[in-house]
Amino acid sequence: MTFYEEVTDQNLDVWPDSPARVPDALRYYYYQYLSSTSEAAEEKIAMLQENESLKKEIEKLNKEKVGLLKSKENFEEQICAFNKSTESLQKDLRDKEQQVQSLKQSSEHQRRTLNDCRAEITSLKMHIEGSRAGQHVSASEGDGMQSQSVEIVEKQISSLPEEVEKPTMEKDGSLISGSFISVEKGHTQIEDGLVEEEVKNIIPVQREVAAEASNVSYKALNSTFENQKEVSNYLLSPSNGDFSSRHLESILKVDSEIGRGSNSKSETANGEAASEEMGLGTIQILADSLPKIVPYVLINHREELLPLMMCAIERHPVSGTRDSLTHTLFNLIKRPDEQQRQIIMDACVSLSRNVGEMRTETELLPQCWEQINHTYEERRLLVAQSCGELAEYVRPEIRDSLILSIVQQLIEDSATVVREAAAHNLALLLPLFPNTDKYFKVEEMMFQLICDPSGLVVETTLKELLPAVIKWGNRLDHILRVLLSHTLSSAQHCPPLSGVEGSLESHLRVLGERERWNIDVLLRMLMELLPDVHQKAIETCPFSSISKSEESAFSVSLLETYAEGRSEWPMFEWMHIDCFANLLQLACMLPQKEDHLRNRITKFLLAVSERFGISYLTDIELPVFLVAVGDDEADLRYLPSAIHPRIKGLKPRTAVANRLATLCILPLLLAGVLGAPSKREELTNFLRQLLLERKTKENQLSKHSNEVLDAVRFLCTFEEHHNMIFGILWEMVVDSTAELKINAAKLLKTIVPYIDAKVASGNVLPALITLGSDQNLNVKYASIDAFGSVAQHFKVDMIVDKILVQMDAFLEDGSHEAIIAVIRALIVAIPHTTERLRDYLLSKIFQLSASPSSSTDVIRRRERANAFCEAIRALDATDLSQTSVREYLLPTIQNLLKDPEALDPAHKEALEIILKERSGGTLEAIGKAMGAHLGIASSVTSLFGEGGLLGKKEATETTTVAPSSPTLQGPDSPKAVAPATEDTRFRRIMRGNFTEMLRSKAKNQDETPPQNH
């Protein structure tokens, strides 16, 4: 019997919720059964123990958690306390800074007080000198004045230290730097000591003068009194009854002689006092008169007043008057020229030498610097000159602070001459600096002047300021690092040539005018620094056994020792590790048209090989550039193994990098490294392998042939390589390979702008004629483009004759490709060639357009018509003769308009405009004739008629009715001969540009421009 059968009266699936319910009863009974065995009991005991241990661990973790929470709260409290203390410290720091500022202000106030004391002492000296002339005053009055003045001066001297120490004592309780206070106090004490010495020297002089004046006055009074007594006695004597006027005269004469004898000693002292008094009076007269005299003196003669003005400024006792005279000195001439400025500056230098540092700083320089924002650049030039010439007569701490700030403001001036003067005077100022603390500021100013848009400022900076900075700062390595950084950043900030990532053009940069100028002047600066780099490398050579003479400095033995890598040689390694790498990086950002900058780099590389020697060129410079163009056979044995990874890192790794290296680095290798005079033979072999031996240069010639040809084109810009290049070109011309002949034609086309007429006639034309007679059509058509380039650059009759003969030969071929190639080649030459060649081209187009094309291919007809239209528009922009216009130009346009299906809409519109303006008012008749002939309405009449867009503008012009004829009027017609009144060359050029925009717009609707992938 089963359990289910025993309880049939209950539904076990739905257990009632009663006290008898036991959840999972069967499982519970089964566990009880299993626990009855010994093994189960042991397992249960183990589980219970493990459970207990887990509970204990849980309790322990809970306790740790509580402890961590408490520690977290403690840490948070500590952080809050730290924050509060930090805030209080910051507040205290701000308070201390305010105290420091107030102390500085008080120090400045005391310094001004001392200056006032000095001025008062100066006036006291003048007063003492003037007192020598007052010898008629009694001795008692002199003693009284002496004692009073001495007491006043002594009181002022005794009060000076207290006034100076007072602000210092007020700040004594603060946390201000003690060294600062001590320095200020020491400075003040020194100045006080100087003042006291001056006063002590004044007091004895004053006492001596007063005593002398009293003695002289006392003696003079006594002698006069005695003379008066003698005269009275003589007059009252009874024995002189016969007294007459003659006796009186004799008495007075004796009296005057006695007076002169008694005053012989006093006359010497009185002479000096009188001369001093007269000098002061003269100075005062000068000071009062000069401001009134100056405006009425001719400007070109005002410099003759400078000696008087300098004397008055130097000797006048009143500072206000001196300031006024100094202001007049700097405003003496409204716009002084260079000679007048130099005269004024010489006067200022002389004045500074006489008055000393303090008066130069307080009186002369402020008046000069008031001119810094003057409207006239000549006045601002005075400021620039004063910074360099007056700096010697001021304190050293003024030179690298105030004067340097003035120069920094002047290099921002809008006038070129002011910036140039600032660069020149900064170079004069640097040797006078007491230290090099302001080096980085000066270096920044130098680079700012180097990149100035004015060539005059750049030249002055390179020739004067740059050597001065190197000599003063002695940090050539830092200048070189900043120089390379600025050069690269100037190019990197420019937008890429193409926005397609991964393409060749995305690595090239579109340089703006300012960036191109900056790179150019920085490369010039690098060239100027090359002798210093070379000298520094020699001086820092770590190998004492090697001769340090300049001739053997970089010999093979030295390079072998250097390659062992036992010693560091940073300045020597800078050239081939840092400099070459940065120049290669810069070259890889320059498009093909940037030949000027590429030429700068080439000249620098040639200068390096010339200065560092042939061993350096062969064993270090050449291997670096060979690695950079992807040559795996470069010999690096003369370079330490430690720098091999950096050199090999220059090797291109991708296909785009290989193209970039061929386009940008190969020209530098050919012209700048192998182009050295000692490497001419190696250059010839390398170029012959590059252009002729296809097997050895398979990748470059097959994949990068255009880039290789552009590199050779750049080499052609150096005239010394022309003979070598023409030799290789002749080998290519006579070669049996068509590809080499095509490349030869391309090279001949690119070399034409860099040769003269003699070379073109003797070398280029024979080679092109040979290529033009080749049986291969591709070679022949390639030579046609080269002929066009020759016609563009040379107007010699002999050369033009040869070109025309060859063009006739090409046109006799009659092929569509030859006709298009000839027309397009000569279109390029139209603006620059002779009238004869223009007429030749116009006549050929007339003949070709008159004979209808036998081709039924619309594409070929359009290509042919487009070429003719482009040539007509180019010819219309030149000065064609009336005969050419009448006999060739207008009939050709009519012939082209007969095939409207082949004409581009933009070309058609341009031809109609040319036809109207060149026909001289017969356009309406011509349009009707063409419309009747073609069976269509004349678009010309609708465009230019009375109701047309342009006809309204010409409604007021006089028109004549032309006979309805499909041909133009004869030569006897005045309208056919006379040109339009507004038909000028400028207008035709502008029209050509306008129709070119229309044509390109129409083309864009049918064609999709190619994209780089």
Side-chain angles (χ1 to χ4, degrees), residues 658-823:
N658 277 317
R659 283 189 62 198
L660 195 65
T662 306
L663 178 66
C664 301
I665 300 177
L666 183 59
L668 301 180
L669 174 62
L670 295 177
V673 181
L674 293 174
S678 59
K679 292 289 181 182
R680 296 291 169 83
E681 185 176 354
E682 294 184 30
L683 174 61
T684 305
N685 297 332
F686 187 87
L687 201 58
R688 182 175 286 109
Q689 289 180 351
L690 195 64
L691 298 175
L692 295 173
E693 300 179 14
R694 181 172 181 176
K695 293 182 180 179
T696 58
K697 296 293 177 183
E698 180 71 22
N699 293 332
Q700 290 187 6
L701 196 58
S702 60
K703 296 182 180 180
H704 312 317
S705 59
N706 292 332
E707 288 79 9
V708 172
L709 294 179
D710 187 74
V712 179
R713 176 200 64 79
F714 178 72
L715 182 63
C716 294
T717 60
F718 296 88
E719 187 177 354
E720 59 268 22
H721 302 305
H722 284 179
N723 292 333
M724 179 267 298
I725 293 173
F726 279 120
I728 297 176
L729 279 175
W730 268 111
E731 296 181 28
M732 297 173 67
V733 169
V734 299
D735 196 274
S736 60
T737 307
E739 186 177 1
L740 288 180
K741 293 181 179 180
I742 294 173
N743 288 334
K746 292 179 180 178
L747 279 177
L748 288 170
K749 178 182 177 181
T750 59
I751 201 175
V752 167
Y754 311 109
I755 59 176
D756 54 17
K758 182 179 180 181
V759 177
S761 178
N763 294 302
V764 176
L765 282 179
L768 290 178
I769 293 173
T770 303
L771 294 173
S773 60
D774 196 88
Q775 299 300 321
N776 191 302
L777 293 180
N778 293 328
V779 176
K780 182 182 294 186
Y781 299 153
S783 67
I784 294 176
D785 291 338
F787 275 112
S789 180
V790 176
Q792 178 184 358
H793 290 89
F794 299 102
K795 299 181 180 181
V796 182
D797 292 338
M798 182 179 62
I799 295 177
V800 173
D801 291 340
K802 292 182 180 180
I803 293 173
L804 296 182
V805 171
Q806 195 64 31
M807 290 299 162
D808 284 333
F810 291 139
L811 292 175
E812 288 176 0
D813 185 15
S815 65
H816 172 77
E817 290 78 8
I819 293 174
I820 299 300
V822 169
I823 298 299

Side-chain angles (χ1 to χ4, degrees), residues 488-505:
L488 287 179
S489 63
S490 296
Q492 290 169 347
H493 291 161
C494 297
L497 197 61
S498 172
V500 181
E501 186 177 357
S503 64
L504 176 68
E505 289 77 11

Side-chain angles (χ1 to χ4, degrees), residues 222-506:
N222 287 339
S223 61
T224 304
F225 181 72
E226 290 176 358
N227 288 337
Q228 290 177 351
K229 287 178 66 177
E230 291 178 359
V231 171
S232 60
N233 291 334
Y234 181 80
L235 293 174
L236 294 175
S237 175
S239 61
N240 296 331
D242 55 348
F243 178 76
S244 64
S245 60
R246 186 177 56 190
H247 295 96
L248 179 61
E249 289 176 1
S250 63
I251 292 172
L252 292 175
K253 184 178 180 180
V254 172
D255 180 68
S256 63
E257 290 177 358
I258 294 172
R260 281 196 299 271
S262 62
N263 292 333
S264 60
K265 295 182 179 180
S266 65
E267 284 180 357
T268 304
N270 291 339
E272 295 182 359
S275 62
E276 289 292 337
E277 185 177 1
M278 185 178 297
L280 286 175
T282 305
I283 295 299
Q284 186 62 46
I285 293 172
L286 276 177
D288 294 340
S289 303
L290 280 174
K292 302 175 183 177
I293 296 173
V294 167
Y296 298 99
V297 179
L298 293 176
I299 293 178
N300 293 333
H301 296 282
R302 286 184 183 176
E303 62 266 18
E304 298 177 5
L305 296 175
L306 285 176
L308 299 176
M309 201 168 293
M310 290 172 55
C311 180
I313 294 172
E314 180 181 351
R315 298 179 180 275
H316 201 282
V318 181
S319 61
T321 306
R322 294 198 301 268
D323 290 341
S324 177
L325 291 173
T326 308
H327 180 75
T328 305
L329 171 64
F330 280 99
N331 294 272
L332 191 63
I333 301 172
K334 188 175 182 180
R335 304 186 70 167
D337 56 23
E338 183 177 359
Q339 183 179 2
Q340 291 168 339
R341 287 196 303 272
Q342 191 58 49
I343 292 173
I344 294 174
M345 286 313 304
D346 290 342
C348 292
V349 169
S350 176
L351 188 61
S352 298
R353 189 183 298 113
N354 294 335
V355 301
E357 294 180 353
M358 188 57 63
R359 283 186 58 182
T360 301
E361 295 174 12
T362 57
E363 298 179 9
L364 200 60
L365 291 184
Q367 292 292 340
C368 177
W369 291 334
E370 284 181 1
Q371 314 285 328
I372 195 169
N373 293 320
H374 201 278
T375 306
Y376 298 135
E377 62 185 36
E378 291 85 357
R379 297 283 190 86
R380 304 197 296 273
L381 276 173
L382 272 178
V383 181
Q385 288 182 250
S386 70
C387 291
E389 298 189 23
L390 298 183
E392 183 180 354
Y393 305 102
V394 299
R395 290 174 297 168
E397 57 267 22
I398 297 295
R399 297 168 190 165
D400 62 354
S401 57
L402 184 58
I403 297 183
L404 185 61
S405 300
I406 297 296
V407 175
Q408 187 176 13
Q409 185 174 347
L410 288 173
I411 66 176
E412 303 284 349
D413 197 274
S414 58
T416 300
V417 290
V418 176
R419 299 196 301 273
E420 182 206 3
H424 170 72
N425 286 278
L426 180 57
L428 299 178
L429 186 64
L430 291 179
L432 302 176
F433 283 1
N435 49 53
T436 58
D437 292 346
K438 298 298 179 68
Y439 171 78
F440 295 105
K441 183 177 181 180
V442 172
E443 186 185 84
E444 182 182 358
M445 295 166 62
M446 178 188 70
F447 276 102
Q448 183 177 350
L449 289 167
I450 284 288
C451 298
D452 191 90
S454 170
L456 191 62
V457 177
V458 173
E459 192 69 23
T460 303
T461 306
L462 290 176
K463 299 300 182 183
E464 299 182 18
L465 181 57
L466 179 60
V469 172
I470 295 174
K471 183 178 180 180
W472 168 66
N474 195 24
R475 296 188 182 183
L476 179 62
D477 52 346
H478 190 270
I479 292 177
L480 293 171
R481 285 197 300 271
V482 176
L483 169 61
L484 294 178
S485 174
H486 283 1
T487 307
L488 287 179
S489 63
S490 296
Q492 290 169 347
H493 291 161
C494 297
L497 197 61
S498 172
V500 181
E501 186 177 357
S503 64
L504 176 68
E505 289 77 11
S506 64

Side-chain angles (χ1 to χ4, degrees), residues 534 538 541 546-555 558 569 612:
H534 179 252
I538 294 175
C541 178
I546 305 298
S547 173
K548 296 294 183 69
S549 64
E550 195 165 333
E551 291 76 16
S552 62
F554 304 116
S555 60
L558 175 61
W569 197 356
F612 280 59

